[in-house]
């Protein structure tokens, strides 16, 4: 059976690893990605705040050697989900099974003024560039702001506000600074009241202003003011933004999306096109856009494909569960164990924050690099 997997991010890497581990050379898997390597979302924050050097957090695809898997570094230009044919800069691929794991694209240009007057910390380039910007920031008014929903890793803006606080304290610049956090959500983490409460307490203790239920619509570069969706404005010296997210254009052009994202069967991750699956941020499966959910979905698709190859009935289904780590600053991390199941209100338990859970999070990162790339790695 031929399988083509588009995107070697959290979802694509997990899927490929499981297929190779179970089936080895018995399958013909082509994994296509345009980048030269993988970077964890949380590593972006580590580099930005000077906790890890940029070169230590990039995991090169050239190191990915797995039986049955061929990695093609190329850009996907067209997808035909009916014929199951993919056009790339490296040629055309015909397949029996197609898995779309292309994630969410980020569009800083969609928010007027963001590129000219602010910074975004969601792309690898944007987060890495912020390291120097933060180093030379003398203090002042910092606004961390989200421009629209949905956005990846809903805890990340809250984590960023807390880490900005620590960063400024360590450099003796906190007293001459103010920090504000603008989010279009009513509470920091809607599925977990306990985590939201703990974050709101942490913001209050650190003097971080919390602006819920609002998005940043634009930045006014002349006045250096963030224009919020409720019509008010927040002045800033340093703006750290979460840009607009959208499905990659190639996915939309393929006719795979409805209302911007790929609808899938929430249990099997199959799209409306037989033999075409989608996992992770590119879908509208109902979980937040986060790596742990992409990974869980990829695991189910892997189980189902492995069963098909073995001539068995696929019975693995997606349970919507994921464990999210949450940086609280002060070298402490909390953990939210959350389940999103179709037809049920999501619920999430909070553990920590504690130094032990910071070690737990580092072990989570290391275990993925071990499984995906077959080498040791120590996350911060
Ligand atoms: C600051 C930050 C912190 C985060 N922290 C966490 C966290 O602590 N825990 C967590 O679970 N998640 C976290 N996330 C979210 C996480 O990074 C994403 O949700 C996750 O990577 C999604 O996985 P995916 O497989 O769907 O897509 P991705 O991992 O984004 O992979 C998509 C891949 O597709 C490739 N691609 C896209 N278009 C094309 C094309 N046309 N041709 C070829 N290749 C293409 C890309 O190069 C990319 O490698 C964080 C994100 C950010 C920004």
């Amino acid at each position: 059976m031929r399988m083509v997997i588009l995107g070697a991010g959290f979802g694509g890497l997990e899927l490929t690893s499981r297929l190779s581990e179970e089936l080895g050379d018995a399958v013909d898997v082509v994994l296509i990605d345009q980048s030269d390597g993988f970077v964890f979302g949380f590593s972006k924050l580590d580099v930005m705040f000077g906790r890890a050097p940029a070169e230590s957090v990039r995991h090169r695809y050239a190191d990915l050697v797995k039986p049955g898997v061929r990695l093609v570094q190329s850009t996907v230009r067209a997808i035909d989900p009916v014929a199951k044919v993919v056009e790339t800069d490296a040629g055309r691929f015909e397949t029996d099974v197609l898995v779309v794991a292309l994630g969410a694209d980020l569009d800083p240009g969609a928010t007027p003024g963001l590129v000219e007057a602010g910074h975004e910390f969601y792309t690898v380039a944007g987060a890495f560039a912020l390291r120097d910007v933060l180093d030379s920031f003398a203090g002042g008014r910092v606004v961390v702001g989200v421009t629209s929903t949905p956005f990846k890793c809903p805890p990340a803006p809250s984590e960023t506000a807390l880490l900005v606080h620590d960063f400024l304290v360590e450099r003796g610049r906190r007293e001459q600074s103010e920090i504000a956090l603008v989010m279009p959500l009513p509470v920091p983490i809607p599925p977990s009241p306990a985590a939201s409460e703990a974050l709101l307490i942490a913001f209050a203790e650190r003097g971080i202003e919390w602006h819920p239920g609002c998005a940043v619509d634009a930045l006014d570069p002349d006045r250096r003011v963030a224009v919020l969706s409720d019509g008010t404005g927040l002045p800033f010296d340093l703006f750290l933004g979460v840009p607009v997210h959208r499905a990659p254009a190639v996915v939309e052009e393929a006719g795979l999306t409805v209302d911007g994202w790929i609808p899938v069967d929430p249990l099997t991750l199959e799209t409306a096109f037989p033999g075409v699956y989608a996992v992770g941020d590119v879908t509208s499966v109902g979980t937040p856009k986060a790596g742990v959910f992409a990974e869980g979905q990829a695991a189910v698709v892997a189980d189902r494909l492995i069963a098909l190859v073995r001539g068995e009935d696929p019975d693995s289904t997606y349970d919507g569960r994921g464990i999210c780590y949450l940086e609280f600053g002060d070298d402490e991390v909390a953990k939210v164990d959350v389940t999103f199941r179709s037809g049920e209100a999501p619920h999430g338990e909070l553990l920590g924050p504690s130094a032990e859970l910071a070690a737990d999070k580092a072990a989570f990162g290391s275990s993925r690099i071990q499984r995906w790339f077959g080498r040791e790695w120590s996350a911060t």
Side-chain angles (χ1 to χ4, degrees), residues 160-322:
T160 300
L162 293 167
L163 293 174
V164 168
H165 168 85
D166 276 12
F167 185 90
L168 294 174
V169 169
E170 278 159 24
R171 281 158 182 78
R173 300 174 208 156
R174 181 64 179 101
E175 279 181 14
Q176 58 266 39
S177 301
E178 290 167 48
I179 304 171
L181 172 59
V182 183
M183 291 232 294
L185 308 176
V187 291
I189 308 197
S192 176
S196 292
E197 180 64 20
L199 279 169
L200 291 175
I201 291 170
F203 298 158
E205 282 171 354
R206 292 158 176 81
I208 295 170
E209 275 174 42
W210 162 242
H211 296 264
C214 258
V216 175
D217 283 348
L219 300 188
D220 180 334
D222 297 328
R223 292 191 300 134
R224 296 194 70 77
V225 164
V227 182
L228 309 193
S229 53
D230 65 2
T232 61
L234 273 181
F236 65 86
D237 297 301
L238 178 63
F239 181 84
L240 306 176
V242 175
V244 170
H245 289 43
R246 52 177 110 256
V250 68
V251 172
E252 292 209 24
E253 286 155 13
L256 279 159
T257 56
V258 175
D259 295 333
W261 306 98
I262 306 181
V264 288
D265 180 317
L267 297 178
T268 65
L269 288 313
E270 199 163 7
T271 69
F273 300 89
V276 180
Y277 298 78
V279 298
D281 290 356
V282 76
T283 71
S284 51
V285 65
T287 59
K289 297 196 181 306
V292 286
F293 297 107
E295 177 184 289
Q297 292 153 27
V300 170
V301 175
D303 286 348
R304 299 185 71 86
L305 294 178
I306 291 162
L308 284 177
V309 168
R310 292 183 175 149
E312 298 160 4
D313 261 350
D315 59 1
S316 177
T317 53
Y318 183 52
D319 64 2
R321 184 174 170 217

Side-chain angles (χ1 to χ4, degrees), residues 11-24 27 66 69 295-303 306 310 316 368 371-372:
L13 286 168
E14 180 68 13
L15 176 57
T16 312
S17 301
R18 289 195 182 229
L19 291 173
S20 176
E21 237 168 70
E22 290 292 322
L23 302 171
V27 279
K66 293 194 176 292
V69 177
E295 177 184 289
Q297 292 153 27
V300 170
V301 175
D303 286 348
I306 291 162
R310 292 183 175 149
S316 177
R368 270 50 185 185
R371 187 155 81 228
W372 299 339

Side-chain angles (χ1 to χ4, degrees), residues 7 13 17 22 28 30 48 57 97-98 102 138 157 161 175 195 211 239 243 277 288 295 335 366 370:
L13 286 168
S17 301
E22 290 292 322
D28 169 11
V30 176
M48 172 174 162
V57 302
V97 171
L98 180 63
L102 291 171
E175 279 181 14
H211 296 264
F239 181 84
Y277 298 78
E295 177 184 289
K335 188 165 150 172
S366 307
Q370 179 64 51

Side-chain angles (χ1 to χ4, degrees), residues 58 96 99 119 139 145-146 157 166 203 248 264 271 275 296 343 353:
R58 196 186 289 275
D96 303 306
V99 185
H119 302 270
V146 177
D166 276 12
F203 298 158
V264 288
T271 69

Side-chain angles (χ1 to χ4, degrees), residues 34-52:
Q34 62 194 4
S35 317
D36 62 354
F38 172 76
V39 175
F40 280 113
F42 57 74
S43 294
K44 294 174 188 168
L45 300 185
D46 289 337
V47 172
M48 172 174 162
F49 291 105
R51 310 195 310 179

Side-chain angles (χ1 to χ4, degrees), residues 313-356:
D313 261 350
D315 59 1
S316 177
T317 53
Y318 183 52
D319 64 2
R321 184 174 170 217
I323 288 175
C324 299
Y325 292 98
L326 236 166
E327 293 281 343
F328 262 76
D330 258 347
D331 297 325
E332 290 197 333
V333 167
K335 188 165 150 172
V336 184
D337 187 341
V338 65
T339 300
F340 290 80
R341 211 170 271 130
S342 168
E344 282 176 31
H347 54 276
E349 302 303 321
L350 174 76
L351 280 177
S354 69
E356 291 73 43

